[in-house]
Structures are given as C-alpha cells and as structure tokens.
Amino acid sequence: MAKRAKIIRELVQTEKDYLTDLELCIREVVQPLRNKQIDRLDVDSLFSNIESVHQISAKLLLLLEEATTDVEPAMQVIGEVFLQIKGPLEDIYKIYCYHHDEAHGVLESYEKEEELKQHLNNCIQSLKEHFKWIGKPNLLDMGSLMIKPIQRVMKYPLLLCELRNSTPPSHPDYRALEDAFAAVKDINVNINELKRRKDLVLKYKKNDEDESLKDKLSKLNIHSISKKSKRVTNHLKILTRGESQVKDNTFNREEKLFRSLEKTVRHCVRNISFCLQHIQDAMPLALQSVMDLREISYGKDEEDRGSSETLSNASNPCHDFAAHLQRLVLTPLSALLSLFPGPHKLIQKRYDKLLDYNSYLQRSAGDESDLAKREYEALNAQLVEELQVFNQAARRILLNCLCSFITLLRELMLLAQQAYSTVLPVPLLVSSISEIHSQVLEEVQNLNFVKDNSATFIERKLSFEKKKPVQIPPEMPRQNDIHRSKLLSTYSAEELYQAKRKCNATQEYDINLLEGELVAVMEQKDPLGSTGRWLVDTGIVKGYVYSSFLKPYNPAKTQKVDAENRFCDDDFDNISLFVSSRPASDSVTGTPESSISDSSSSLSGTCGKFETNGTDVDSFQEVDEQVFYAVHAFQARNDHELSLQEYQRVHILRFCDLSGNKEWWLAEAQGQKGYVPANYLGKMTYA
C-alpha cells in the first residue's frame, strides 16, 4: 500500500509538471508567435491542437486531485478517473500525434530560414529563462518541447501498470485499474495504428509521385512479376465469380459516391464554361437587337434618340457576371476537381492489396497473409474514414457552386431587365403576326391605285414565306472527263453510280446533280441513319443525294443509250418511283397524252409537258388529270403548304405557285390543298 501511495503521488505530481510545461509553452511560444503574425510561419502546423491537450490535461489533473485529496489511501480509486476521461483523451492525443511528424518537418524547414529561426530562438530563450527561474531542468530546443505530449500519453500505461501491480486484488480500485490500464493501452495502440496507416498512405503516394520510369524498372524482379500475375489472376476470378472473399459495403458505397462526384464536378466545370462563353457571345447581339427593334418600332424623333443613346451607353451586365462566375463557381469547382487524383491512386492501391489478401486467404499462407491483411485493412480503414469526409465536403462545395450559378443567372436577367426597361415591349403576340399581315394586305387592296393589281398582292401573300428564305446557291463547276477519270481510278465498280435525273439540293449538305453525272457512293446512309439519303463524291465535292436519283453505273449500257430517248431503259425494269424536278420540258405540247404500246404492254403518262408562255396561267390545269406520288415525306411549315406521307397519292392542280415559281406545285390529297416541293413528287410507271 505504501508503494501504491507513492505511485499515486508520482502520477499526480508528474501531471502537474506536465501541465505547467504546457502552460509555459502556450504563453511564451505559441501566443507570441501568433501575435507577431509572421509571414511564412504557420503556428498551427507546429503545435497543432496543443491548447486542447492543455485543457484535457488540466481536466485529468482536477479529477486526480478530487480522487486523492482528503481520501484515505485504502479508499482512493484512480482507475475510474481514466475510464471517465478515456474518450476525449484518445480523440485529442490522436490529432496531436497524427500531425507531429509533419510538424517536425515544418520545424526543420523553418530553421533553414534565418529570419524564422531567429523568431523561434527568441521564444525558446524566453522559455529557458522561466524554466531556470522555477528550478526545472533546462530546455534543449523546440523539438524537445513539441514531443512532450507524445511522451506523456505513452507514460500513462506504464504508471497504471505499476499502480495495478501494487494494488491488492481485494482493493476496490483493482478491477477499475485493470480496465483503465487496458483502456490507455488501447489508446496508444490506436494512435500507433493511425500513424502506421498514415505512413503507409504517404509511402504509396510518395512512390507514385517521385518514382521515375527508371526507378520502377529497377524494382522489376521475379517477385514483383509474380505478384502482378497473381493480382491479374485474382482479378479475373473476381470478374467471373462475381464477388471477392473480402468485402466492405461502406467502402463500396463511398467509392461509388466519390466517382459520381468526380464525374459531376468535371461535367459542371465544362458545361458552365460553355454557358459562360455562349452568354458572352450572345449578350452583345441581344443588346444590339433591342436597340434595333426600338428604332424600328418608335422611329427616330428627339426623345427616342435620347433613349437610344442612354441604352447604348448602359453598362453591359455580362462583364460583372463573368467575373463573379469565375470567382464563385468555376475557381472552386476547378480546385475541387484537382483533389480527386490523389484518392484515386490510394483506391487502386487498396484494390491491389485486396487481391493480395484474397490470394493468401485461398492458400492459407501464414506470415504473408497477416502482412497482406494488415496493409489492406490499414488502407481500407484510412480510405473509409477520409472518403466520408471528402465526399461530404465535395457535395457541399458542389451544391454551393450550383446555387451560386443559379443566383448569378437570375441576377443577370434582372439586371438586363432593369437596365433596358425603357424599351417598351411591342404589344403584339408572335402567334398573331400572320393575322396582322392579312389585315394589312386587305387594307392595302382597298386603295384606289392598287385595286387593279389586287391579284398580285394575293399571290405575294400566298408565297410570302417561300420567297423570303430562298437563297441562290453558288453555282458549282460542271463535271468533266478529269473528274470522271478520278472517280473511276479511285473507287471500285460497285461503288460507282449514275444520276438518273437532275437532282436539286433540298437540305443542308445536299448537292446538285445533273442527269448522267457519275458519282461514287461513300456511305449508304446519312448522319441520322436514313438509308434513303447517301453520301457521294462527284470528284469535285462531297455531299448527300437521295438514293432514288441514282442507278448503278454500267459503262456498256451507257454507250448504247439512244440520245433521242429522254428515258433510260432502267427506269422500266421494275416498279419504281422517280422524281422529275422540272415539270415542263423544253418542247411544248397542248394536252397531256396517254399511249398504249402493244409491243411493250406498258402504260406511261407524259411528264407534264405544257405551255408556259405568258399570262395564261390556267393552261397548267390542262394536266390536272396526272396523278403523282410522294417520293419522300414532307411536313408543312405553314397553312399554305400540304403535309405528305411517303408514297401518298396526290392530285396536281397547278405545276407552279401563283408567282410562277416551278419548284412548288399546288397539290390536293385527301380533300386538302397546299403547296409541296416539286422534287418530292414522282410518277408511278408500270413494267
């Protein structure tokens, strides 16, 4: 019992001395350095959470004094004190010990700079004088001061072990001391395990970052090759059998979230950057359109000119928007994206260790299995713990950036509305524009000097939307013998085709072809997957042509074609649809003809030969008995056009519109009338 009392006194006294050292360190070193606010000197990197260490030590000393003061030695219970403070004691010392190695490296870097070293020496000198004044052993240097908390937490198990050995089993403190000794021993084990995990992570990170290809090749030996091959084998087994023997659902969940966050952040950075670029490009055009519309709507009197000048002088809100977007959204997201590669390397290394562990489990290897298990569990525990923190922080940053992006967009719209609120909206709905056109044209027809020409206005009204977008395409050079020779030498006979009819371009990237021109088919479909529109090469240009205009190139048959015959023999080999882009031929006939040929037993109608000479527009009605079919489906874009399904039968009422444009025919189908493109229609011929 005397030895027990001596150990308790030593425990309390050493805790007092340790607490005094911490107080002096904070008062003479930590606080002065913080108050000086020295550039390039981070006090927290040196001393971490030393204030928390001081607080937990003061609490422990208070509990020890309460358990020993005015209490008989036979009734003193020390074990309960450590059991009571075990949780916060472990949490605080874990943090300090975890960062101690980094702090030691930071201290060495500071001591290499003369200015920073001088500040540290001044603090140490002041602390030495206090130690000398209170009669304590002289302090060696800053490193010996920083290591005191680690030495103290390692001494608790030794003191409690001696105290337990000096306590009789019948003493009320014996069982509590056993539990307390196991608790503080576990604290040290956990701290060491945490430090070992950190060292393992740093080892693999350092190897990946610092090793060159030469260093990696130098490590290539039979053992490393064998290990790699075993990992590949185990990876294939996991793929074929479905799951590995060792599985951590928590890690799998966090890894999946980690990869989803990385993909989301990368897409956000890219898409928001594109959005910013589009807004910067479009905003000046939008502002110019506002001024132009105002000028059109309100004229150019003095008041309007003053408003226009104010409008043009207004600041462009897009500049501030771009600056704020870069600072609040793109910069944080880019910084977050740069943090993902580090965990990726550790996740891959963790998977390698998992494969090693699985391999040793299957062979029941002793020491190697234990080593693989320890390394796998260390990496897995570190990743599970830190991935959860990382994922939460990444989600918070991502959500904040998205909220900031939405807010900036809303503010941009509000600023634009406020800055240009002087521009009154035109009180017209887009849906009513066609009605207004009709009303204006009817009012104009009532004027005396245009009554005689009212039919002309009606014609313009009907073809208003057709004439406006028509653009005359640049004339392409005609195909010559050089171009034909190039195609014949470049492509095989199966790829060569010939135009059966003249073909006009109807869509973007389409090309014009003349009858008889040679082309090479490069792909028998268009970008949308339609097999009715082929990509061809004319020797001059490449573009798309509808396959119904083409026929396989046959040199022998081409030489025998009768020059006086307008139709090719291939047109009547089977039931086929063909398109005539010009309803009128060069010759003029009075009425459509139908002929029955006994030799061929074929029925054919004339190709729409009719009179086109002047004012008698109704002469087109003479061919109204001709029936055509839609070679391609056509979707009407306004009330004057007629929608057609592919192969739908139509009745042609007029082979041009009212303005004489022969590219649009007036057709009737299922009781509805409207204009359709002429080259979308064809006639059925029977063999």
Side-chain angles (χ1 to χ4, degrees):
M1 291 299 293
K3 185 178 180 182
R4 169 182 161 84
K6 180 181 178 181
I7 294 173
I8 292 176
R9 287 195 300 272
E10 180 184 357
L11 175 61
V12 175
Q13 185 59 44
T14 53
E15 193 67 28
K16 284 182 180 179
D17 296 340
Y18 170 61
L19 184 62
T20 302
D21 293 345
L22 291 178
E23 290 175 350
L24 289 173
C25 175
I26 294 173
R27 188 174 72 242
E28 300 298 330
V29 179
V30 177
Q31 290 181 350
L33 289 176
R34 280 186 177 150
N35 294 336
K36 291 179 180 179
Q37 296 181 351
I38 305 169
D39 293 338
R40 306 188 311 280
L41 195 151
D42 187 359
V43 181
D44 292 334
S45 297
L46 287 174
F47 295 97
S48 185
N49 62 333
I50 195 167
E51 287 91 348
S52 299
V53 175
H54 172 265
Q55 293 174 3
I56 197 66
S57 177
K59 185 177 181 180
L60 176 61
L61 179 61
L62 179 62
L63 293 176
L64 288 174
E65 289 177 343
E66 290 177 354
T68 56
T69 304
D70 299 331
V71 179
E72 293 294 330
M75 301 303 296
Q76 292 177 352
V77 180
I78 303 300
E80 291 293 339
V81 172
F82 282 90
L83 292 176
Q84 181 180 350
I85 205 171
K86 171 184 179 296
L89 190 72
E90 179 176 356
D91 294 339
I92 290 173
Y93 276 97
K94 260 187 178 181
I95 296 174
Y96 189 89
C97 296
Y98 185 83
H99 293 99
H100 178 262
D101 289 342
E102 295 177 3
H104 186 71
V106 171
L107 177 62
E108 289 181 348
S109 65
Y110 288 167
E111 289 178 343
K112 293 178 181 179
E113 298 187 31
E114 193 63 32
E115 181 183 356
L116 300 181
K117 183 180 179 180
Q118 186 62 38
H119 288 292
L120 295 175
N121 289 338
N122 292 339
C123 295
I124 291 296
Q125 190 63 34
S126 175
L127 191 59
K128 285 182 178 180
E129 293 177 359
H130 281 80
F131 275 21
K132 185 178 180 180
W133 183 74
I134 61 177
K136 296 194 65 170
N138 195 15
L139 184 67
L140 297 178
D141 55 13
M142 185 71 76
S144 61
L145 180 65
M146 293 165 55
I147 204 173
K148 281 184 177 292
I150 297 177
Q151 294 172 337
R152 184 60 184 173
V153 75
M154 295 174 62
K155 196 170 184 180
Y156 289 139
L158 300 177
L159 292 172
L160 289 179
C161 182
E162 289 186 20
L163 187 59
R164 183 199 61 178
N165 294 337
S166 303
T167 302
S170 59
H171 195 281
D173 194 22
Y174 185 80
R175 181 58 60 86
L177 280 174
E178 282 190 332
D179 295 341
F181 170 68
V184 295
K185 187 177 179 181
D186 288 342
I187 290 176
N188 280 269
V189 170
N190 293 338
I191 291 175
N192 290 333
E193 178 63 20
L194 183 67
K195 188 175 182 302
R196 191 180 74 85
R197 281 161 42 185
K198 179 185 177 183
D199 294 340
L200 190 63
V201 170
L202 293 177
K203 167 190 170 184
Y204 291 126
K205 286 184 65 177
K206 184 178 180 181
N207 288 343
D208 290 336
E209 293 173 358
D210 298 341
E211 280 190 349
S212 62
L213 180 60
K214 182 179 179 180
D215 296 332
K216 293 180 179 180
L217 291 176
S218 64
K219 292 183 178 181
L220 194 63
N221 51 40
I222 299 298
H223 176 71
S224 62
I225 294 175
S226 174
K227 183 185 292 186
K228 297 289 185 183
S229 64
K230 290 176 183 177
R231 287 175 180 174
V232 172
T233 303
N234 279 282
H235 177 66
L236 294 176
K237 288 181 180 179
I238 291 175
L239 291 178
T240 54
R241 297 175 183 175
E243 292 185 358
S244 62
Q245 295 180 352
V246 181
K247 186 177 180 180
D248 190 331
N249 292 327
T250 303
F251 171 81
N252 293 338
R253 183 180 66 252
E254 294 299 327
E255 183 198 11
K256 184 177 180 181
L257 177 58
F258 170 81
R259 297 186 184 278
S260 299
L261 284 170
E262 181 187 23
K263 183 178 179 181
T264 304
V265 172
R266 182 180 291 108
H267 286 177
C268 284
V269 171
R270 183 185 62 185
N271 294 338
I272 292 176
S273 300
F274 286 159
C275 178
L276 175 60
Q277 184 62 44
H278 293 162
I279 290 177
Q280 290 176 327
D281 294 341
M283 185 64 71
L285 300 177
L287 301 181
Q288 184 63 39
S289 298
V290 170
M291 291 187 287
D292 293 344
L293 287 174
R294 179 179 178 82
E295 183 177 349
I296 294 172
S297 302
Y298 298 101
K300 295 185 178 180
D301 55 22
E302 293 297 329
E303 180 180 356
D304 292 331
R305 282 200 297 269
S307 300
S308 297
E309 291 175 0
T310 303
L311 187 64
S312 61
N313 293 332
S315 60
N316 188 350
C318 190
H319 298 309
D320 293 336
F321 170 79
H324 287 98
L325 186 67
Q326 188 69 38
R327 181 173 59 87
L328 298 176
V329 180
L330 290 177
T331 299
L333 286 180
S334 300
L336 176 61
L337 188 61
S338 65
L339 299 178
F340 282 90
H344 263 300
K345 296 178 181 178
L346 292 182
I347 290 174
Q348 180 58 45
K349 185 60 66 174
R350 179 253 184 204
Y351 187 68
D352 292 341
K353 296 302 177 183
L354 174 62
L355 296 177
D356 295 341
Y357 186 26
N358 276 330
S359 175
Y360 293 130
L361 284 178
Q362 296 170 4
R363 293 181 296 158
S364 300
D367 296 339
E368 291 181 345
S369 176
D370 292 339
L371 177 61
K373 179 181 179 181
R374 288 198 304 270
E375 291 190 345
Y376 161 74
E377 289 179 345
L379 278 175
N380 186 73
Q382 186 76 10
L383 282 170
V384 168
E385 178 182 338
E386 295 191 352
L387 275 181
Q388 292 177 346
V389 179
F390 181 89
N391 289 341
Q392 292 177 3
R395 290 180 68 173
R396 188 161 59 250
I397 293 173
L398 178 61
L399 290 176
N400 288 340
C401 289
L402 291 178
C403 291
S404 300
F405 177 58
I406 296 171
T407 303
L408 289 172
L409 280 178
R410 183 171 62 246
E411 291 178 352
L412 177 64
M413 296 300 105
L414 293 176
L415 286 174
Q417 290 177 2
Q418 293 172 3
Y420 306 104
S421 59
T422 56
V423 180
L424 300 177
V426 178
L428 298 176
L429 297 176
V430 177
S431 60
S432 64
I433 290 180
S434 60
E435 298 177 3
I436 295 173
H437 290 165
S438 300
Q439 294 175 4
V440 173
L441 289 175
E442 290 175 2
E443 292 176 1
V444 172
Q445 292 171 30
N446 294 328
L447 299 176
N448 292 327
F449 67 90
V450 297
K451 281 186 177 180
D452 296 336
N453 298 322
S454 58
T456 305
F457 281 100
I458 296 175
E459 294 170 8
R460 291 176 181 173
K461 174 183 174 183
L462 291 176
S463 59
F464 176 77
E465 293 188 2
K466 304 185 191 68
K467 285 190 173 183
K468 186 174 181 180
V470 171
Q471 296 180 355
I472 300 175
E475 185 176 355
M476 297 298 297
R478 295 288 298 273
Q479 191 180 64
N480 54 35
D481 292 339
I482 298 177
H483 301 142
R484 286 174 171 269
S485 301
K486 177 182 176 182
L487 294 175
L488 291 171
S489 61
T490 305
Y491 298 93
S492 63
E494 292 79 8
E495 297 174 319
L496 296 176
Y497 284 75
Q498 199 168 18
K500 297 193 296 184
R501 291 285 181 271
K502 178 182 177 182
C503 172
N504 293 326
T506 59
Q507 300 185 41
E508 189 177 6
Y509 305 120
D510 282 6
I511 59 175
N512 298 322
L513 288 181
L514 296 178
E515 181 178 353
E517 284 192 339
L518 185 66
V519 298
V521 176
M522 303 176 64
E523 190 173 6
Q524 294 187 353
K525 64 179 180 180
D526 64 2
L528 299 180
S530 174
T531 56
R533 190 163 167 255
W534 293 356
L535 177 62
V536 302
D537 182 8
T538 66
I540 307 171
V541 67
K542 298 177 182 179
Y544 290 93
V545 175
Y546 282 101
S547 59
S548 57
F549 287 90
L550 303 176
K551 64 179 180 180
Y553 176 60
N554 189 340
K557 184 174 291 188
T558 302
Q559 294 175 2
K560 297 178 182 179
V561 170
D562 187 357
E564 297 179 356
N565 188 359
R566 296 288 295 173
F567 300 102
C568 297
D569 296 336
D570 300 79
D571 294 337
F572 301 94
D573 288 342
N574 52 25
I575 297 177
S576 63
L577 291 174
F578 67 90
V579 174
S580 174
S581 64
R582 294 178 60 91
S585 65
D586 296 332
S587 63
V588 177
T589 63
T591 60
E593 296 178 352
S594 299
S595 61
I596 302 176
S597 176
D598 296 334
S599 61
S600 62
S601 298
S602 65
L603 175 65
S604 67
T606 59
C607 256
K609 301 179 181 180
F610 46 83
E611 184 109 333
T612 61
N613 60 348
T615 61
D616 189 7
V617 182
D618 292 335
S619 62
F620 290 104
Q621 300 292 346
E622 297 175 357
V623 291
D624 60 354
E625 293 301 324
Q626 299 211 50
V627 177
F628 283 72
Y629 295 83
V631 180
H632 310 289
F634 175 69
Q635 181 65 38
R637 298 166 297 176
N638 52 60
D639 296 338
H640 306 305
E641 297 177 356
L642 177 65
S643 296
L644 296 178
Q645 301 294 329
E646 192 173 10
Y647 305 133
Q648 183 177 354
R649 179 173 173 171
V650 295
H651 183 67
I652 304 303
L653 302 178
R654 192 185 300 273
F655 288 89
C656 66
D657 63 6
L658 294 180
S659 63
N661 183 7
K662 299 177 184 178
E663 294 182 359
W664 291 86
W665 292 358
L666 180 62
E668 180 181 11
Q670 298 179 352
Q672 297 182 353
K673 299 179 182 179
Y675 288 97
V676 295
N679 54 2
Y680 274 59
L681 301 175
K683 290 186 60 180
M684 178 72 78
T685 61
Y686 301 90

